Amino acid sequence: MAKEQLQVLNALDIAKTQLYHFTAIVIAGMGFFTDAYDLFCISLVTKLLGRIYYHVEGAPKPGTLPPNVAAAVNGVAFVGTLTGQLFFGWLGDKMGRKRVYGLTLMIMVFCSVASGLSFGHSAKGTMATLCFFRFWLGFGIGGDYPLSATIMSEYSNKKTRGAFIAAVFAMQGFGILGGGIVALAVSSAFDSQFKGPAYSVDAAASTVPQADYVWRIILMLGALPAALTYYWRMKMPETARYTALVAKNAKQAAADMSKVLQVEVKAEEEKIEIMAQDKANSFGLFSKQFVRRHGLHLLGTTSTWFLLDIAFYSQNLFQKDIFSAIGWIPKPQTMNAIHEVYKIARAQTLIALGSTVPGYWFTVAFIDKMGRFKIQLMGFFFMTVFMFALAIPYHHWTTPGNHIGFVIMYSLTFFFANFGPNSTTFIVPAEIFPARLRSTCHGISAAAGKAGAIVGAFGFLYAAQSTDKTQTDAGYPPGIGVRYSLIMLGVVNFLGMIFTFLVPEPNGKSLEELSGENQVDDETPPMALSRVDAV
């Protein structure tokens, strides 16, 4: 039989929506704004980096980053993120959410600035320095995933918990949008001040010396929102669930939540001691009991996040290549270097404004009504449908007059990614695991996602190259082309839909009910029948 809930946790579960909820959303959300800005702004400037550092005299096309350099510049932050998710996820359960939270933010601030200050006497030296700092930037970003999700889930009431966690994650959409707007503003200012001819008119003069400042400013501005929220992040009290269930400090948990909730909360030290002695509340990550209770859940959260990020990050990082392939962005030789940044940023901003940002907020609005399972299944389904709708008649979309239709359908895949698995894969791992393992399991799930992002970033870079060797970017072998790359992403989305059936439905339940922390050892594993209820 389930044990009686601690008063401090019950008070959190039934609390009315208050100012502290919105404060927590803003504080945690600004970290995610910075995460998305830093991760995706690199795609806005990679073409510019190629023009500046890899210009070949007399070449018919502007310089581009060599394949190994492009893969490193695009993918190294994801490698850092994966590492940070595993490390800080584990550390968040060992040391507490709050103690680690400020450290991740400071790493992000320092490395954002350092990325823009990348130095070197040669192109190779500058790119190596950039990659070094972007790895550590990713490391800090990685820590923000499990900590922000866990803090928000442990602060929330059970009625609107999904919306609150989704709102934190939705700041990622504003981060992508913010990156595009900053790039538009910076490139417009420099292009008007330092006008250069198109590459086809004068190759050398098309990249003005001041263009080197453009990418540096865009990267460094990512430090600003994170730095602004550091003070408030440090003032947040530790979550009551960590303090009570992991640190076993009933008095501190009650005192912290009495201030936050502005109600009197009783410290139940005896009840904490009884819970601590129960073996059902002490099994570890590598125990048979964890596998029995949560093994399939962890497989579900890791597999769906892995598959989602293959498709999502491929689409985000290489929007510029897809839009160039269909003619939505002019050929590089018809523009100067800074104007090309403007065109790429405009395309990304329009996609973010029209589909990415609305998709996130649709999730916020409907997740506690529809539930996580239905939204994730629906999102993967429509991503599959629209990806195949783009890929199968691909040649139709590349003909003049049909580009707008392509952009609309491509935007809808982003909309249903965000009103779908891109949001739910972040939310569910923060709800279904025990408090002592919550941050760790979220970090493992998120790291699986970043492994998918690495597959997408490196794989799509090569796969999307033309099958015609004369049409590939400099240094790249022929690939399978954009059409077959999109078909592959459609298959990946379909697999995501299948693995969604392993993910439980946490809607409307307390975190302790979901994780089974108040259950005796011989009870049925939590949520064993939740899939039937969800369907």
Side-chain angles (χ1 to χ4, degrees):
M1 186 181 293
K3 296 178 182 176
E4 186 184 349
Q5 177 74 299
L6 290 171
Q7 186 182 350
V8 65
L9 306 186
N10 188 57
L12 282 166
D13 280 339
I14 64 173
K16 294 181 180 179
T17 301
Q18 299 175 37
L19 180 61
Y20 84 91
H21 286 120
F22 296 106
T23 304
I25 288 170
V26 172
I27 294 169
M30 287 311 291
F32 263 88
F33 179 97
T34 306
D35 295 349
Y37 182 103
D38 289 333
L39 285 177
F40 293 115
C41 69
I42 195 68
S43 67
L44 300 168
V45 299
T46 47
K47 296 270 191 183
L48 178 61
L49 291 171
R51 285 196 187 230
I52 294 171
Y53 295 103
Y54 293 91
H55 171 69
V56 178
E57 199 65 45
K61 292 182 180 179
T64 57
L65 296 178
N68 59 328
V69 177
V73 168
N74 280 300
V76 71
F78 294 141
V79 178
T81 304
L82 186 155
T83 311
Q85 286 163 336
L86 291 173
F87 176 72
F88 286 113
W90 168 79
L91 200 63
D93 283 333
K94 293 298 179 186
M95 294 178 59
R97 291 52 161 136
K98 180 189 173 180
R99 291 177 69 182
V100 185
Y101 210 25
L103 177 60
T104 63
L105 206 63
M106 291 314 296
I107 293 172
M108 288 157 58
V109 170
F110 175 78
C111 291
S112 290
V113 175
S115 296
L117 297 175
S118 296
F119 54 86
H121 296 294
S122 64
K124 187 180 290 187
T126 304
M127 292 301 106
T129 310
L130 175 62
C131 288
F132 174 81
F133 286 120
R134 281 193 64 78
F135 171 84
W136 290 108
L137 173 64
F139 187 69
I141 289 171
D144 223 43
Y145 274 73
L147 293 170
S148 289
T150 301
I151 285 171
M152 200 64 239
S153 73
E154 292 181 346
Y155 263 114
S156 301
N157 60 53
K158 63 182 181 182
K159 184 179 179 182
T160 56
R161 185 178 62 239
F164 289 157
I165 307 172
V168 170
F169 195 61
M171 294 301 287
Q172 190 177 75
F174 286 125
I176 296 170
L177 181 63
I181 292 171
V182 167
L184 280 173
V186 173
S187 59
S188 294
F190 273 79
D191 198 26
S192 62
Q193 194 69 29
F194 309 103
K195 202 72 177 174
Y199 184 88
S200 58
V201 175
D202 189 335
S206 68
T207 305
V208 297
Q210 293 82 2
D212 195 50
Y213 294 115
V214 172
W215 69 270
R216 295 178 185 275
I217 292 170
I218 291 170
L219 295 188
M220 284 194 288
L221 284 174
L224 194 59
L228 291 174
T229 55
Y230 178 77
Y231 171 77
W232 297 106
R233 188 170 281 202
M234 288 296 89
K235 285 198 71 176
M236 290 179 74
E238 181 59 85
T239 71
R241 285 185 160 91
Y242 181 86
T243 306
L245 299 177
V246 184
K248 312 298 184 188
N249 190 335
K251 283 186 177 179
Q252 189 63 52
D256 287 344
M257 289 306 102
S258 293
K259 291 178 185 176
V260 168
L261 299 172
Q262 297 180 336
V263 295
E264 189 64 35
V265 179
K266 183 182 176 184
E268 300 169 294
E269 293 170 281
E270 290 183 9
K271 197 178 288 186
I272 292 278
E273 288 178 17
I274 294 170
M275 289 176 61
Q277 293 169 9
D278 193 333
K279 291 181 180 180
N281 295 325
S282 60
F283 60 83
L285 181 66
F286 299 105
S287 65
K288 289 182 180 179
Q289 195 161 352
F290 178 86
V291 174
R292 183 173 69 87
R293 285 178 177 266
H294 298 291
L296 283 178
H297 302 153
L298 188 59
L299 176 61
T301 58
T302 52
S303 60
T304 52
W305 207 336
F306 173 79
L307 293 165
L308 177 275
D309 273 9
I310 292 176
F312 184 74
Y313 280 90
S314 295
Q315 290 173 252
N316 257 304
L317 285 171
F318 303 107
Q319 284 183 41
K320 58 188 185 301
D321 301 308
I322 291 171
F323 289 141
S324 295
I326 65 165
W328 210 45
I329 296 175
K331 293 186 180 298
Q333 52 267 40
T334 66
M335 299 178 283
N336 66 47
I338 297 176
H339 194 64
E340 186 177 33
V341 175
Y342 176 84
K343 289 285 189 180
I344 293 168
R346 187 182 69 170
Q348 179 167 307
T349 302
L350 288 173
I351 290 292
L353 201 57
S355 62
T356 305
V357 172
Y360 283 113
W361 290 98
F362 264 72
T363 301
V364 174
F366 291 103
I367 191 162
D368 289 313
K369 297 180 177 70
M370 293 176 61
R372 288 69 159 152
F373 174 75
K374 289 179 182 177
I375 287 178
Q376 183 162 312
L377 194 69
M378 175 193 71
F380 269 128
F381 172 77
F382 281 110
M383 287 173 71
T384 305
V385 168
F386 287 117
M387 202 62 78
F388 284 135
L390 290 172
I392 294 169
Y394 179 73
H395 297 298
H396 165 77
W397 299 118
T398 58
T399 56
N402 296 323
H403 296 162
I404 297 300
F406 182 97
V407 172
I408 290 171
M409 297 243 283
Y410 187 68
S411 299
L412 284 169
T413 64
F414 274 108
F415 176 81
F416 283 105
N418 296 312
F419 183 31
N422 192 41
S423 296
T424 54
T425 52
F426 175 81
I427 295 165
V428 174
E431 299 180 296
I432 63 176
F433 299 107
R436 65 187 177 280
L437 300 171
R438 186 169 290 134
S439 180
T440 301
C441 289
H442 193 284
I444 292 170
S445 303
K450 280 301 164 285
I454 292 167
V455 171
F458 285 82
F460 196 82
L461 192 66
Y462 287 88
Q465 294 296 319
S466 172
T467 53
D468 182 355
K469 193 172 183 179
T470 62
Q471 299 296 315
T472 61
D473 290 334
Y476 287 85
I480 60 174
V482 173
R483 179 175 183 244
Y484 287 105
S485 297
L486 292 173
I487 289 175
M488 286 178 63
L489 295 182
V491 172
V492 166
N493 290 329
F494 178 76
L495 290 174
M497 188 167 61
I498 300 301
F499 278 96
T500 293
F501 284 90
L502 294 176
V503 181
E505 176 56 76
N507 197 27
K509 300 174 183 176
S510 75
L511 296 181
E512 289 66 48
E513 182 183 356
L514 290 163
S515 64
E517 283 172 283
N518 286 350
Q519 291 186 343
V520 294
D521 194 37
D522 61 349
E523 278 197 314
T524 304
M527 298 175 294
L529 303 177
S530 60
R531 177 77 307 110
V532 176
D533 296 336
V535 176

